[in-house]
Amino acid sequence: MNLAWCLLILSIISFLEFSHGASRPREVHIGAIFVLGSINGQVSQIAMEAAVNDVNSDPNVLGGTKLIITIHDSNASGFLSLIGALQFMETDTVAIIGPQTSTMAHVLSHLANELHVPLLSFTATDPTLSALQYPFFLQTSPSDIFQMTAIADIVSYYGWREVIAVYTDDDHGRNGISALGDKLAERRCRISYKAPLLPDPGATEDIIKDALVKVALMESRVMIVHTYPKSGLMIFDVAKRLGMMQTGYVWMATTWLSTVLDSKPEVPSSLQGVLTLRPHTTPSEKKKAFFSRWNKLNNGTLRLNPYGLYAYDTVWMIAFAVKELLDKGGTISFSNDSKLHAVAGGSLNLEAMSVFDEGKQLLDNILNTSMTGLTGPIRFNPDRSLIRPALDVINVVGTGFREIGYWTNYSGLSVVPPETLYMKPPNRSSASQTLHGVIWPGETLTPPRGWVFPNNGRQLRIGVPNRFSYREFVSKSKDTDTVKGYCIDVFYAAVNLLPYAVPYKFIPYGDGHENPNYNHLVQSITTNDFDAVVGDIAIVTTRTKIVDFTQPYIESGLTVVAPVRKMNSSAWAFLRPFTKMMWAVTAIFFIVVGAVVWILEHRINDEFRGPPRQQVVTTLWFSFSTLFFAHRENTVSTLGRLVLIIWLFVVLIINSSYTASLTSILTVQQLSSSIKGIESLATSTEKIGYQRGSFAQNYLIEELNIPNSRLVPLGSPEEYAVALERGKVAAVVDELPYVELFLSNQCKFATVGQVFTKSGWGFAFPRDSPLAVDMSTAILKLSENGELQRIHDKWLTRRACSSQGSELESDRLHLKSFWGLFLICGIACFLALLVYFISTIRQFKRFFPQEAEPSSQGSSVSKRLQTFLSFADEKDETFSKSKRKSSTDNVQEDESRNGSKRKHMETSPDSQMNGNSHGTH
C-alpha cells in the first residue's frame, strides 16, 4: 500500500515538472537596431553578443531557455530602421534594443506602443522621449537633460553669460539644444545664436564653413557642439582652418566626442583645448575584468567606451526581466492585433505582426530592475530615469585627454568622485562647485572672457544726454559733437582699464534747449537705437527691469531743498527751547503741585500755616523753589513727601532737557524752514519743483501719491532759485549730486530732512551684456585707486557757501516729549488728594457726628460744610501730640541713658579710686 502511494506521488511530481518544463520556451528572441558602421554600433554589437553568451552560459538565469539576439543594421537610414522593426514584430520578439538615434526612437515608439514590445535604447537620449507619450520606450543611459544641465553649470561656473549652439537639425539636436536653453535660462544665461546643420551625411565642409563664418561674426566666443561624430569632427577641422581654435575661444562638445576619444587611439590636433562630457560609470572589479576581456572580444581593433558597458547591462536587464516573468509562472505568447485585420492583404503582410501579450509585465519587470552592472548600480526612478546620473568632465590636451572633474545631479561640479559624494549630504552651493585647471584653445591656462566685440566693423552707439542745465556732469560742445563732463571722464577712465579695445562713438540725445527725458533715453536701448547710455543716469527700479547697469560711480538719491533763514540770537533766546504749550503746562504744574503739597501739609505742618497771604506766598515760593531744589519748607506727611519726590524727578528731567537745548541754540548756528522734510512736504498742499526729465516726477506721483497738479517742472539752477525766492514752489525735490552743485553758490537755500531714496548713477547696457560686468569691475578699480575722487574734485568742487545748509533748526522741545512725566505727576497728586480727603472726612465724622433731627435740609448742609471747612483748616493736634510725645519719649530715653552712664561711672572701681585720691589730696 505504501509503495503504491509513493509511486503515485512520484508520478504527480514528474507530471508537474514536465508541465512546468513544457511552459518555459526553449528560446527567447530579442532584437537590436544599430548603425553597424558607426563607432557606437560596432562597440554595442560586440558588447551585446558578449552579454547574450554570458546569460546563456549561466544556468541560474534562464535555466533551459536560450536567449537569442538578432542585430539589424539600419545603415544610418530611417527607412531601414523601420523595416527592421517590422521584421522583428513578425518573429515573436519580446524586446528590441535601439534604435541608435532619437529620430527613429520617436517613430518606432509608436510601433512598440501598439504591439506592446518594450523598446530599450542607451544612445537615443532625446529628453522629449516622454514616458507619457511613449510608455513602452525606456532610456537605459542618462538622458540628454542631464548633460545639458552639466553644460549650463560649467557655463555659469566660469561666469559666461552667452553661448552659441552648433547642432544637427533633427530631433536629437533640436530637442537637446532646447533643453540647454532652458537650463541656461535658470542660471540667467542664454543661447545668443543657433547654427543648425544638416543631419549626417548631409553636412558637408562647405555647409559647415558657411555656418562657422557667421558664428565668427558674433559676440559670444563660447561654442556648444551637439551633433554626431562624423559631422562633429568636421566642424573642428573647419574651425581650425578659420582660426577659431585660438586664444579667446571656448569649445564644448556633448558626449559624442568622448565616444570618439575613448574608441580611437589617435586624437585629432583640431581638438586641442576642447571640453567634453562622458557618462560616468562606477569603478569595480567586474568592470575592470570586462575591460581586460575586451581585447579578445574585438581582436584589438576597437577600444571600449561607456556605451558598450550600457549595451552589456541592457541585455542583462532584459534577461533578468524574462527570468522573473517565467519564474512566476508566466508564459511568452503573442496574439493577432485586431486593428491590423482592417488593413490586411497586399504585399506588406501586416497581419503577420502580433501583439506581445506579456509585454506590459515584462516592461514592469525591467522598470523594477535592481542590479549592479558594469556601469554601476542600476535602478529606475519613478520618472523612469536612471538613479544617480553622473558625467566626467574631460579636457582634450596634446595627444590625449584628462579628467578635470565630475558632474552629478546630486552635488553639481566637483573634483571628488561621485561615489564619494553620495556618502555625504548634497551640496549645490556655489562655493562647493569646482573643477581642476583647464588648458584652453591656444594653450592658455586663463579662462577666456567668453565674448568679444562683433567682427562686423560697427562701433558701439552710445547715447549721451544733451543737457541744458548742470553741464558739469555731461555736455555737448556747441560747435562739434564732442561731449565732456564728469560722467564722460569716468567713462573714459573705466574704458582705459579694460583689457581690450572698445570701439564706440557718442551720439547726443536731446535738442540742448531743455533736459531730455531720461526714461525715454534708457528705453532706446531696448529698441536698438543705442548699444549703451552714458551719463548721469540714476539706477532706479523701473529702469533695471529693462537694462543692466554698471556698478554706481557716484551716490545719489532724492532730497528736498527749501528756503531757510538764519535764526539770530535775541534777548528772548532763552525761551526757544520750549514751545508755548510746554511753558504753559510746566507753569501750571508748578502751581498745582504747590497747591497739592499745601493741602497735604496744612493741618499738620506749622510751616504751611498762618495768615492767608502768608500761606499763598509760602506755597508759591515752595513750588517754584523746587526748580532749583532750594525749597526750605519741610514736608512731614507721607503723601506730601511722595508727591514731592515725583515732582522733583520731573523737574530734574525738564531742567536737564532745557539746559541741553539752550546750549545747542546758543552755540550752533541755526537755520529755520517751514518744511522739515519729505513727510511734511507731502502732507502739505504747497507746490513742489522738480528737474525736468528726471525720475523725481514719477517717484513723487507713484510712490508718494502727490497730485501732478502740485508739481512744477524746472529746467535750470537759476529757475530753482527764482521759484524758491518768489514762492512759486515751497521746495524743490532733486537728486543729491545736482543739489550739492546748486547749493555751492546758493546760500539762501538748504537741504531739509534726510535723503529719502538711496540710489546711484551708472552706465546702462542691454540686458545680460558682458560689457556691463567688465565696466563694473573697472569702476571698482577707479574707486579703489582714488581716480574717481580726483575726477569728482575736477568737475564738482564745491565752494565755501556749500558748507552751510544741512544744519537746520533743531526741533524745539514739545509737550509730547514730556506728557508721560506730567501724567505720572498728575496721577500721583490726584491719588494723594483722594487718600487725604477720605482720611479727613473719616476724622470729621468721628469728631462731628451728624445731627439726628436737623431743622432744615438746606441750612444743615451749609452749616455742616462750614463746619467741615473749619475742621480742615484747623491744626491737627492729634498729629502734634503724637509728635511731641515721640519727642518727649526720645528725650526721656536720652536722659535715662545719660543717668545710667553717670551711675555706672560713680560705682566703678576707677571712680572710687579717683574719689579717694581726690579726698586725700
Side-chain angles (χ1 to χ4, degrees), residues 42 58 133 137 221 241 298 313 323 438 764:
Q42 296 173 18
D58 187 350
Q133 185 179 7
F137 177 81
R221 285 293 181 263
R241 291 198 297 270
N298 70 99
D313 287 346
K323 169 181 168 57
V438 178

Side-chain angles (χ1 to χ4, degrees), residues 461 509 519-531 546-547 766:
R461 299 162 301 169
Y509 180 84
N519 287 333
H520 296 166
L521 176 58
V522 172
Q523 289 174 357
S524 64
I525 296 178
T526 62
T527 58
N528 203 31
D529 293 331
F530 295 124
D531 299 313
I546 58 176
V547 297

Side-chain angles (χ1 to χ4, degrees), residues 78 101 131 135 142 161 168 187 195 203 285 375 401 416 504 527 529 598 627 668 676 705 764 776-777 780 823 849:
T101 65
R161 287 291 174 262
T168 299
R187 292 152 181 81
E285 291 298 326
T375 57
F401 57 88
V416 180
Y504 62 87
T527 58
D529 293 331
W598 178 83
L627 177 63
V668 180
K676 301 303 180 182
N705 298 320
S776 293
T777 304
L780 289 176
L823 178 63

Side-chain angles (χ1 to χ4, degrees), residues 710-736:
R710 289 181 56 194
L711 303 182
V712 178
L714 303 173
S716 65
E718 292 75 16
E719 290 187 40
Y720 286 15
V722 171
L724 290 171
E725 287 178 349
R726 297 182 179 179
K728 294 181 179 180
V729 295
V732 172
V733 175
D734 205 353
E735 295 179 64
L736 186 60

Side-chain angles (χ1 to χ4, degrees), residues 456-471:
N456 52 16
R458 186 174 67 85
Q459 294 178 317
L460 285 180
R461 299 162 301 169
I462 299 180
V464 294
N466 188 10
R467 292 193 59 88
F468 169 70
S469 62
Y470 295 112
R471 295 173 63 85

